[in-house]
């Protein structure tokens, strides 16, 4: 083939000159194509002899420098037939989409060993056209009743469009009511259609996932009058496994009512299209669902008899050609972690491959990543694994090991001997786990948690290490006994479901043994936080020394992992939330999630204020005479003040605390004052979160006393919620293990833990609590703060500066009550 058909004339001349400068020997060059598909630029990267030259293989992986389209080298002999080595290099290059050319020395002829992948032409978004859909009379605006154009929403959309068009990273704080979902959905759907690209949208909650999938995305696609295939994917444990369900139905030891529940799940399995737990018409117990849900390490894949009807495999097939995939953060991190650890970014892992990500509720990213990358175990978890293997209830032996012994041998005496051996090893391991748990509980009895540090080495070596060593040995002993039996099993039983589950449980026990080893060697784990924490049966009133202990290993920082797994490999990452700034700065959030570590890419940030009328509809009430939390009168003041404010408001109140102890105290004070007035008092812990919120939303004359998780995710518009009381600034407890370790690390680097970690984290949560009140533009009410530090400490201004402009009442408490009453009646 004439070289002029593959090279521009200037490039052909340049390559000819490079070969001449190399004395006519072989050269290895990187070629870059122009829009006509001709090699228009070259970059010589190696020079050799008459018969060989180095092919620099670092170009097989994407780097920060421009990625070549074709590898070029010459054959000084004039014969262009590729050698075996040439074919090997060309094969590897083709896998990366790179072509391979051989030329003669005068660059008059070319032999195309492998064609380069065709260059994708990226079509940029038309910001004006997209934004028009949300302007007055636009395609989406016309479909929404009483829609009002919001300038902040249009400005947010412009920034997101820029992020797509410039392959940039974007962090955007969009106040309540901006309409951030539509602001990112329109550009995302448009980009996916224009460029035939897959975009992943990740949220913090399944609730928001479903809202996007069931409501918002259909509305946008109908306005666009184009179909965009969208798939909603949840974590694997949300889906039913038919094979495990069939196994569970065969088990003879189901407890009271479980037979009926299993039968109900089985009946539902024959009618459901998704197999998703959220579609079940009843709520199964956590224990029951864990026995029938899909789990990665329990999946038999192509060996499973139910693979043709598998809900997870069906979903994966659906997602293969989807352009929009809606996931939650945990599922996203599972995919990113696998890719970062070696699976690569161009193949199907947990999700199909993608290059652009939108992260909604991005203020939760650091917490979600910390949770995902943590490892843990507890006595109860060990009990569950052992119970699946073998249990003896009133002389009735059950479990997977009975099925294994029956597969291995029909000799009753041999089976009995093995079962006795199993029973001894299982009981021994339970006893060791009990002993470890009791010892660990003593360490947690005063503060609820205990961090392993060098200063506590003597105590740790006495109270924990011997029991951890014993637990690891006990696990090894049990695993060895079972593996020996598995090795004697006939190959025809390798695909037996019981064998598969036994192997999975052994791997899980092995992981617990590895965690034990990390705890034993805690002084060497400087990049991690190793800690234990007392857990209760869900009752916050449990006394110290009761419950059980959870052993956890948490990364000291997740920013580097997020930098490498999320921000660096993807062309566009859009992060949006109502709370990303502290005193109008993104620095804290960027530092925590790794975005501040990105130095060679475009990173755009923007704040987009809420269009809601805070200045006329919200009264920020802070008693000037409120004591400080370290004063003896503080608890009594909060208890009485909260009750009086709720009484004045007539209910419709959410009272938020930072501890269960404070919650219980205020609740016990308020109950006899409020119930005679017809105000129903609800308390976190009396029911599960969903039902508690439902009860609160259905009764406008109710008050909900809550802590921690209720500072965000509560959406109670209208008269359901007219008063939010933030009893205390939400600073993290200084001795909380992970927080304490991160503060120490920051201080060791010369930083200020209070100003750089404690204060900004508290402000972010404070903004979330404040945001519970105003959910619609017509909402009207009071946010009260009963912590005197916000007015009397210098750092209080950070909290105030992070809020939108409101009406204010910073007077004595009695005056505030009167002003509050007038405001709520106006």
């Amino acid at each position: 083939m004439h070289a002029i058909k593959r090279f521009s004339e200037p490039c052909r001349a340049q390559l000819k000159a490079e070969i001449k400068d190399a004395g006519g020997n072989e050269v290895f060059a990187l070629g870059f194509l122009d829009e006509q598909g001709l090699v228009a630029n070259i970059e010589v990267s190696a020079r050799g002899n008459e018969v060989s030259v180095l092919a620099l293989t670092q170009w097989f992986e994407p780097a920060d420098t421009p990625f070549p389209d074709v590898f070029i080298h010459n054959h000084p002999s004039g014969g262009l037939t590729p050698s075996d080595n040439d074919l090997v290099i060309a094969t590897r290059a083709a896998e990366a989409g790179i072509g391979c050319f051989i030329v003669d020395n005068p660059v008059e002829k070319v032999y195309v060993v492998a064609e380069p992948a065709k260059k994708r032409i990226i079509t940029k978004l038309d910001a004006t056209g997209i934004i028009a859909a949300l302007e007055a009379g636009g395609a989406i605006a016309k479909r929404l009743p009483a829609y009002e154009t919001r300038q902040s929403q249009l400005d947010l959309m412009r920034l997101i469009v820029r992020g797509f068009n410039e392959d940039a990273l974007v962090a955007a704080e969009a106040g309540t009511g901006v309409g951030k979902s539509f602001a990112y959905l329109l550009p995302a759907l448009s980009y996916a259609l224009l460029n035939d690209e897959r975009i992943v949208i990740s949220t913090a909650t399944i609730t928001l996932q479903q809202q996007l999938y069931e409501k918002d995305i259909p509305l946008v696609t109908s306005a666009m009058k184009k179909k965009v295939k969208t798939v909603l994917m949840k974590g694997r444990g949300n889906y039913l496994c038919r094979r495990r369900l069939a196994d569970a139905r065969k088990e003879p030891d189901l407890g009271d009512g479980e037979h009926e529940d299993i039968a109900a799940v089985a009946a539902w399995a024959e009618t459901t299209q998704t197999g998703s737990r959220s579609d079940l018409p009843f709520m199964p117990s956590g224990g029951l669902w864990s026995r029938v849900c899909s789990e990665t390490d329990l999946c038999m894949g192509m060996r499973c008899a139910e693979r043709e009807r598998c809900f997870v495999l069906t979903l994966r097939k659906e997602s293969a050609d989807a352009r929009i995939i809606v996931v939650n953060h945990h599922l996203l991190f599972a995919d990113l972690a696998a890719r970062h650890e070696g699976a690569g970014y161009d193949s199907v892992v947990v999700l199909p491959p993608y290059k652009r990500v939108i992260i909604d509720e991005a203020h939760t990213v650091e917490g979600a990543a910390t949770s995902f990358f943590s490892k843990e175990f507890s006595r109860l978890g060990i009990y569950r694994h052992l119970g699946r293997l073998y249990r003896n209830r009133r002389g009735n032996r059950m479990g997977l090991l009975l099925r294994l012994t029956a597969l291995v041998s029909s000799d009753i005496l041999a089976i009995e001997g093995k079962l006795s051996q199993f029973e001894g090893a299982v009981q021994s391991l339970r006893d060791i786990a009990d002993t470890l748990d009791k010892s660990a509980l003593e360490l947690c009895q005063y503060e609820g948690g205990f961090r392993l540090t060098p200063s506590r080495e003597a105590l740790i070596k006495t109270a924990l290490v011997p029991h951890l060593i014993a637990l690891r040995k006990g696990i090894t002993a049990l695993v060895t006994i079972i593996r020996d039996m598995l090795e004697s099993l006939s190959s025809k039983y390798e695909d037996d479901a019981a064998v598969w589950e036994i192997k999975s449980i052994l791997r899980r026990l092995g992981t617990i043994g590895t965690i034990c080893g990390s705890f034993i060697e805690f002084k060497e784990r400087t990049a991690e936080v190793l800690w234990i924490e007392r857990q209760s049966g869900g009752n916050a009133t449990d006394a110290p020394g009761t419950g059980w202990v959870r052993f956890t290993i948490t990364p000291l920082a997740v920013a580097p992992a997020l930098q490498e797994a999320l921000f660096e490999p993807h062309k566009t990452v859009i992060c949006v939330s109502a709370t990303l700034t502290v005193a109008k700065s993104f620095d804290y959030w960027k530092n925590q999630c790794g975005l501040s570590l990105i130095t060679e890419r475009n990173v755009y940030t923007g704040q987009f204020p809420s269009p809601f009328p805070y200045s006329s509809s919200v009264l920020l009430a802070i008693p000037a005479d409120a004591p400080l939390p370290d004063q003896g009168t503080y608890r009594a003041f909060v208890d009485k003040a909260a009750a009086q404010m709720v009484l004045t408001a007539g209910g419709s109140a959410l009272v938020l605390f930072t501890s269960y102890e404070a919650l219980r105290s205020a609740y016990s004070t308020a109950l006899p004052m409020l119930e005679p007035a017809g105000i129903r008092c609800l308390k976190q812990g009396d029911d599960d979160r969903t039902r508690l919120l439902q009860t609160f939303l259905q009764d406008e004359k109710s008050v909900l006393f809550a802590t921690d998780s209720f500072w965000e995710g509560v959406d109670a518009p209208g008269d359901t919620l007219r008063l939010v009381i933030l009893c205390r600034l939400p600073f993290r407890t200084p001795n909380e293990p992970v927080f304490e370790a991160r503060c120490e690390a920051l201080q060791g680097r010369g930083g200020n833990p209070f100003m750089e970690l404690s204060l900004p984290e508290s402000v972010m949560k404070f903004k979330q609590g404040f945001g519970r009140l105003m959910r619609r533009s017509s909402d009207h009410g009071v946010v009260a703060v009963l912590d005197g530090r916000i007015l009397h400490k210098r750092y209080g201004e950070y909290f105030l500066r992070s809020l939108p402009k409101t009406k204010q009442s910073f007077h004595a408490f009695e005056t505030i009550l009167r002003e509050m009453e007038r405001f709520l009646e106006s």
Side-chain angles (χ1 to χ4, degrees), residues 423-710:
E423 185 164 1
V426 166
Q427 187 57 50
S428 174
L429 195 51
R430 287 178 66 96
D431 292 343
I432 294 168
D434 276 343
T435 303
L436 171 63
D437 197 65
K438 288 174 183 175
S439 185
L441 272 172
E442 291 181 9
L443 296 179
C444 299
Q445 64 178 320
Y446 298 113
E447 296 180 352
F450 179 90
R451 178 164 71 98
L452 280 68
T453 63
S455 64
R456 293 169 161 174
E457 183 177 12
L459 178 59
I460 294 165
K461 282 188 172 180
T462 302
L464 290 181
V465 170
H467 308 304
L468 287 164
I469 292 172
L471 182 61
R472 189 169 60 172
K473 286 182 178 178
I475 289 172
T476 301
L478 177 63
V479 169
T480 300
I481 293 170
I482 298 172
R483 282 192 176 148
D484 287 346
M485 178 167 275
L486 288 171
E487 287 175 4
S488 67
L489 192 65
S490 170
S491 59
K492 67 181 178 180
Y493 295 122
E494 285 182 358
D495 292 343
D496 185 90
V499 171
W500 203 267
E501 291 228 9
I502 289 170
K503 289 180 178 179
S504 172
I505 292 171
L506 297 189
R507 285 192 295 270
R508 293 183 183 188
L509 288 172
T511 298
I512 292 173
T514 301
I515 296 174
C516 288
S518 296
F519 269 83
I520 293 165
E521 300 163 358
F522 73 95
K523 288 178 67 177
E524 300 172 22
R525 318 291 293 195
T526 55
E528 296 169 322
V529 185
L530 291 90
W531 53 293
I532 61 178
E533 184 179 36
R534 183 176 72 90
Q535 304 293 303
S536 67
N539 186 351
T541 62
D542 285 354
T546 61
W548 70 94
V549 168
R550 182 174 61 202
F551 292 72
T552 306
I553 303 175
T554 298
L556 187 60
V558 294
L562 290 173
Q563 171 205 359
E564 295 171 6
L566 174 61
F567 294 116
E568 287 184 344
H570 297 96
K571 290 183 177 179
T572 299
V573 182
I574 309 289
C575 299
V576 294
S577 172
T579 50
L580 291 184
T581 66
V582 175
K584 306 189 184 308
S585 169
F586 284 89
D587 288 351
Y588 168 72
W589 180 82
K590 288 169 67 177
N591 289 337
Q592 296 304 107
C593 72
L595 192 55
S596 62
L597 300 174
I598 304 296
T599 57
E600 297 182 2
R601 291 187 60 185
N602 290 333
V603 178
Y604 300 129
T605 60
Q607 283 184 275
F608 305 91
S610 170
F612 290 170
Y614 284 92
S615 59
S616 60
S617 298
V618 176
L619 174 66
L620 178 62
I622 306 176
D625 52 353
L628 304 184
D630 59 359
Q631 294 179 306
T633 57
Y634 174 73
R635 172 67 60 79
F637 171 82
V638 168
D639 292 352
K640 185 178 178 182
Q644 287 179 303
M645 294 185 100
V646 173
L647 191 61
T648 300
S652 305
L654 175 65
V655 189
L656 294 171
F657 301 85
T658 58
S659 74
Y660 281 103
E661 183 183 357
L663 182 156
R664 290 193 297 270
S665 177
Y667 178 83
S668 62
T669 298
L671 192 65
M673 293 176 62
L674 301 180
E675 288 208 329
I679 298 172
R680 184 177 184 182
C681 295
L682 305 170
K683 174 167 57 69
Q684 183 178 350
D686 289 345
D687 206 340
D688 74 59
R689 189 180 193 276
T690 301
R691 285 195 291 269
L692 196 62
L693 270 178
Q694 222 168 21
T695 303
F696 175 64
L697 293 173
Q698 291 169 355
D699 188 349
E700 289 184 3
K701 289 205 67 177
S702 66
V703 54
L704 174 57
F705 293 79
T707 184
D708 198 31
S709 64
F710 285 79

Side-chain angles (χ1 to χ4, degrees), residues 32 36 69 319 561 713 727:
F32 302 88
Q36 284 72 46
D69 299 300
S319 69
C727 293

